[in-house]
Each structure stands twice: as structure tokens, then as C-alpha cells.
Amino acid sequence: MCVSLTKTVIAASLTLAAVVAPLASAATLHVPDSIEISSVDGQAVTPLNRINLTEGDHLITLKYNDYFSAYADDSGDWVSSKTLFAHIKVGDQPQLTLTTPAIDNAAEARAFVMQPRLQLTDNQGLSDTVELQSQAAVLSQLLASR
């Protein structure tokens, strides 16, 4: 009887947590397939196209990775960035979207990787440019702020 009650309480707790967790997040961040988010605030996340974020400032670790093929029989060209970091401020918006500029070919993708910037747009259409930083730039900022 006690084991059955314990299992019921655990199952109810897990169900409640699954229902309440999405309600606690302030925003859902959507990203294109070419952006792979690997962590949020130092916590590893499964690479998804959308991440739930709470209100406040967040440091997002990501990579740009896309494939370009000029012709059907072309072997194609992968363009990837090193690990990049984005500072995102989340308010009470329910939806946020990170987008790259229009990138139509490998040359444009390489230019993007050299100076990576994303657009952060909320559900009301307001947008802001997010400068992506290298690991060295983030560490330099942290050391300079001390």
C-alpha cells in the first residue's frame, strides 16, 4: 500500500512539473535549422529549434552550420562557425525568434561567419541585432568587468 501511494505521489509530481514548467518560462526562442544551440547559461541543452527561456539575461552558446549546393550533381559545401555566444535579454514576450541575414550561397555564409550577427524578433515584430561573440571575446569581457 505504501509503495503504491509513493508511486502515485511521484507520478502526480512529475505530471504537475511537466504542466507548470512551460508556464514558468517567459518566452520560447525559435531558431532556424542552420543555428544549433548547445547551452543556455552554461547548462547543456539538446539541440532543438526552440528553447524555453525564463525572464532575464541569458548567455546562449551556439554554432552556425549550413550546407550549400550549386548544382544537383555538386558535392556541395558545408559552412560552419566556431562556437559563438549570444547575450539575450528576455522580457515578458511569449515568442522570440533568432534569424540570420539572408544567406543564399557558401560565400555569403562565410562572410556571415566572419562577422556573425543575428536578428532577435519578438511576437510583436520588434527586432534587435544580436552581436555574436567568440569565446575569447566573452572571456575578455568577463575579465574586464572585474
Side-chain angles (χ1 to χ4, degrees):
M1 167 96 173
C2 185
V3 172
S4 177
L5 181 61
T6 303
K7 287 182 181 179
T8 304
V9 169
I10 291 172
S13 297
L14 291 173
T15 303
L16 182 61
V19 170
V20 173
L23 298 176
S25 67
T28 300
L29 177 67
H30 300 270
V31 296
D33 291 336
S34 59
I35 299 292
E36 299 172 6
I37 295 177
S38 59
S39 73
V40 175
D41 300 327
Q43 300 295 314
V45 296
T46 304
L48 299 171
N49 290 353
R50 60 187 187 116
I51 304 284
N52 291 326
L53 297 173
T54 58
E55 194 168 336
D57 293 327
H58 297 281
L59 180 63
I60 297 174
T61 307
L62 56 91
K63 285 183 84 169
Y64 172 82
N65 193 25
D66 209 350
Y67 175 78
F68 298 90
S69 179
Y71 308 103
D73 61 347
D74 185 10
S75 63
D77 195 8
W78 280 101
V79 178
S80 298
S81 71
K82 293 183 179 180
T83 300
L84 298 168
F85 298 87
H87 291 277
I88 305 286
K89 184 175 181 88
V90 176
D92 59 356
Q93 315 92 324
Q95 302 286 326
L96 293 170
T97 304
L98 274 177
T99 55
T100 63
I103 299 174
D104 296 321
N105 55 51
E108 290 176 358
R110 285 188 204 89
F112 168 76
V113 167
M114 296 304 291
Q115 293 186 319
R117 292 186 177 111
L118 299 174
Q119 281 299 120
L120 179 65
T121 307
D122 67 14
N123 57 308
Q124 296 176 338
L126 299 174
S127 65
D128 192 18
T129 300
V130 177
E131 302 274 338
L132 300 178
Q133 299 176 304
S134 67
Q135 183 178 13
V138 171
L139 290 174
S140 293
Q141 267 186 337
L142 288 172
L143 291 173
S145 66
R146 289 187 158 213

